[in-house]
Amino acid sequence: MKTGKITFDGVPVILAPMEDVSELPFRILCKEMGADLVFSEFIASEGLIRDAEKSIIKLRISEKERPIAIQIFGGETDSLVKAAEKALESNPDIIDLNCGCPVKKVVNKGGGAAMLRNPDKMVKAAGEIVKVCGDIPVTVKTRIGWDQDSINIMDIALRLQDAGISALTIHGRTRCQMYTGAADWNVIASVKNNPAITIPIIGNGDIDSGEKAKQCLDMSHVDGLMIGRAAIGNPWIFNQIKAYLKDGSIIGPPSIEQRVEMCRRHILMSVDYKGEKRSILEMRHHYGCYFRAIRNFKPFKMELMRAMSVDELIKILDKIISANS
């Protein structure tokens, strides 16, 4: 797969943009575990152009995580263009436009999946961002349509291609599905296999194992696979998928010791990245996922959720190992 000047060997396995998940420390861990490309958390265009601290911190990039895509969202073309220009100051490898987030607070402001109801605005915004980004490739992530009665991804894909984007990621659900039901990989396949489509198509939705990745790839022939929720607390999934796609090899699940060590590193890196208080709060999204396979984890989870210092968290992690050794 080739996007702009970036070339991947074979089919890249990609970390999806996820709010409060795909922040810099987690991206580095996923990169170490085989992710070929990582996406930032989505960043509000209005926040970027106002230099809001929460938005600006999301622009931080480490050389360890390249190639890295910065994703922006918003409902106004002018703001999106200015936000793209601001994001370029961080020297990302890709700028991505979020046209798929289904969350109400984003949609109500005309951003994310709301763009599916206004393809003219989506295409115009993408085209204007392409103009200001020069040699930096611009990509778009979206869904197959607003609802089952308005699946318009084929028309959108063709128009975005004409607007100059370098790749398109398609999540195989409608906005109204949110994250329920099953992703429709048949629709993704129809876009990929349209002879008029020449840009890379990246498929997203429900990939949670090497077997599922191969199934989706075999039926769609997409150029790349994006992993979202299945990567939370599970950065090992990238190497697991790549091994299975290569020769059918199955890499077993990580041991408790490996889970604890990864979680420990995640906590410490997060503290270095954005401070102890904020990191402790945001890490609460991850504990249940890191230790989903451990029996009788609930008491430890409650302790982790109540902990108010890094020292407390490390002691609890040590207890998890002791209790399971």
Side-chain angles (χ1 to χ4, degrees):
M1 172 177 147
K2 189 174 189 300
T3 302
K5 296 180 179 178
I6 306 168
T7 301
F8 300 95
D9 292 331
V11 177
V13 186
I14 302 163
L15 172 66
M18 292 177 282
E19 179 71 355
D20 294 331
V21 175
S22 57
E23 30 93 70
L24 188 150
F26 188 64
R27 297 196 303 262
I28 291 175
L29 295 176
C30 289
K31 191 73 177 180
E32 292 177 1
M33 293 293 107
D36 296 298
L37 171 64
V38 295
F39 277 62
S40 72
E41 302 173 80
F42 68 2
I43 310 175
S45 57
E46 296 294 339
L48 275 186
I49 62 180
R50 293 198 314 270
D51 289 330
E53 181 182 2
K54 186 175 181 180
S55 296
I56 295 299
I57 194 172
K58 293 179 182 179
L59 290 179
R60 293 184 188 174
I61 288 175
S62 167
E63 292 302 310
K64 297 177 182 179
E65 58 178 325
R66 292 190 183 278
I68 162 75
I70 289 180
Q71 187 186 76
I72 59 175
F73 77 93
E76 299 299 328
T77 297
D78 289 347
S79 296
L80 285 166
V81 170
K82 291 175 182 176
E85 291 174 326
K86 185 76 175 181
L88 288 172
E89 296 174 9
S90 293
N91 193 28
D93 300 291
I94 295 169
I95 294 289
D96 186 76
L97 175 60
N98 181 322
C99 297
C101 177
V103 176
K104 187 174 181 180
K105 67 179 181 179
V106 173
V107 169
N108 284 351
K109 294 181 179 180
M115 292 278 194
L116 287 162
R117 303 181 88 174
N118 193 341
D120 290 345
K121 178 186 279 190
M122 185 195 300
V123 173
K124 180 180 179 182
E128 293 299 316
I129 292 170
V130 168
K131 291 177 185 177
V132 301
C133 285
D135 292 337
I136 302 299
V138 174
T139 60
V140 171
K141 184 174 189 290
T142 189
R143 291 184 170 225
I144 60 176
W146 179 261
D147 57 27
Q148 286 300 125
D149 295 324
S150 58
I151 294 177
N152 56 350
I153 186 60
M154 185 69 78
D155 177 64
I156 284 173
L158 291 166
R159 294 181 64 186
L160 287 171
Q161 178 174 274
D162 290 343
I165 71 166
S166 296
L168 175 65
T169 300
I170 305 173
H171 182 124
R173 288 182 171 84
T174 65
R175 186 272 171 175
C176 289
Q177 280 184 273
M178 301 295 284
Y179 296 100
T180 63
D184 192 336
W185 278 81
N186 288 311
V187 175
I188 298 174
S190 70
V191 177
K192 168 57 192 172
N193 295 310
N194 183 337
I197 294 291
T198 58
I199 59 173
I201 300 297
I202 299 164
N204 176 221
D206 297 345
I207 299 175
D208 58 5
S209 67
E211 294 90 334
K212 182 68 174 182
K214 189 173 190 306
Q215 176 187 338
C216 292
L217 184 60
D218 286 349
M219 66 89 60
S220 68
H221 304 290
V222 290
D223 302 282
L225 298 169
M226 181 173 281
I227 315 301
R229 289 170 293 166
I232 302 174
N234 185 28
W236 300 274
I237 193 170
F238 297 97
N239 276 334
Q240 290 170 341
I241 288 174
K242 290 168 75 173
Y244 193 87
L245 292 180
K246 181 180 179 181
D247 57 17
S249 298
I250 296 177
I251 299 176
S255 66
I256 291 174
E257 289 79 10
Q258 288 173 315
R259 293 177 186 275
V260 167
E261 179 57 24
M262 188 69 76
C263 186
R264 187 198 314 271
R265 288 188 62 206
H266 192 170
I267 291 168
L268 295 176
M269 291 167 68
S270 185
V271 170
D272 287 342
Y273 173 53
K274 52 192 169 188
E276 184 173 38
K277 183 177 180 180
R278 183 174 168 189
S279 297
I280 287 171
L281 293 174
E282 293 187 3
M283 279 298 301
R284 292 172 181 172
H285 296 284
H286 297 267
Y287 299 134
C289 297
Y290 270 118
F291 301 109
R292 59 167 65 92
I294 295 180
R295 294 180 180 178
N296 303 316
F297 174 63
K298 187 173 180 180
F300 295 113
K301 182 178 180 180
M302 297 306 297
E303 288 188 54
L304 289 167
M305 297 293 279
R306 289 194 296 263
M308 295 305 295
S309 73
V310 172
D311 288 343
E312 285 182 79
L313 290 172
I314 299 304
K315 289 177 182 177
I316 297 165
L317 292 179
D318 289 339
K319 286 167 60 177
I320 292 173
I321 291 180
S322 297
N324 289 274
S325 60

